[in-house]
């Protein structure tokens, strides 16, 4: 049944102030949102502050390789710029054909 639904991956930043409980809750929110949207969430990429943008780079590779249709984030802020240059949302649109959705509705 999951094979009939478009594939999705999740992405979120693990902010320094987040507890493990908050991180788990954020991952669960992404899974619940994916279910409501009718997509199969196959993986959640979690970005660590000290290695940013390693998880996002891995996400881009996975989206290209597996032809992922949707990237789900808790909010648009998780795809904002780190340092200079374009935002992660802009990079996602430029380098893939995946659609970005935010669980809080900030991206539609």
């Amino acid at each position: 049944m999951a094979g009939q639904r478009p594939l999705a991956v999740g992405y979120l930043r693990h902010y320094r102030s987040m507890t493990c409980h908050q991180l788990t809750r954020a991952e669960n929110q992404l899974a619940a949102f994916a279910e409501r949207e009718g997509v199969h969430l196959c993986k959640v990429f979690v970005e660590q502050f000290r290695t940013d943008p390693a998880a996002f780079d891995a996400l881009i590779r996975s989206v290209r390789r597996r032809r992922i249709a949707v990237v789900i984030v808790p909010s648009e802020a998780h795809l904002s710029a780190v340092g200079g240059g374009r935002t992660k949302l802009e990079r996602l649109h430029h380098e893939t054909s995946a659609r970005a959705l935010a669980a809080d509705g900030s991206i539609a």
Side-chain angles (χ1 to χ4, degrees):
M1 188 181 291
Q4 297 173 348
R5 295 182 290 164
L7 291 179
V9 292
Y11 177 79
L12 60 91
R13 287 182 174 155
H14 185 186
Y15 294 108
R16 289 182 185 190
S17 61
M18 288 176 88
T19 65
C20 289
H21 177 71
Q22 289 170 320
L23 180 61
T24 299
R25 186 172 53 202
E27 290 174 332
N28 291 338
Q29 284 178 313
L30 295 182
F33 182 78
E35 187 68 29
R36 286 192 304 275
E37 291 295 312
V39 297
H40 176 68
L41 184 66
C42 55
K43 180 175 175 85
V44 175
F45 291 85
V46 178
E47 194 72 71
Q48 301 296 324
F49 179 77
R50 69 187 180 287
T51 58
D52 195 351
F56 189 75
D57 292 341
L59 176 142
I60 292 288
R61 288 190 303 273
S62 180
V63 166
R64 285 182 183 158
R65 184 177 62 252
R66 298 185 68 194
R67 294 186 175 97
I68 302 291
V70 177
V71 174
I72 301 172
V73 294
S75 69
E76 186 174 3
H78 288 259
L79 292 175
S80 63
V82 175
R86 63 183 171 205
T87 67
K88 289 178 179 175
L89 180 58
E90 291 168 333
R91 184 175 165 207
L92 179 71
H93 287 154
H94 181 19
E95 296 183 26
T96 76
S97 60
R99 187 172 59 132
L101 295 176
D104 73 352
S106 58
I107 306 172

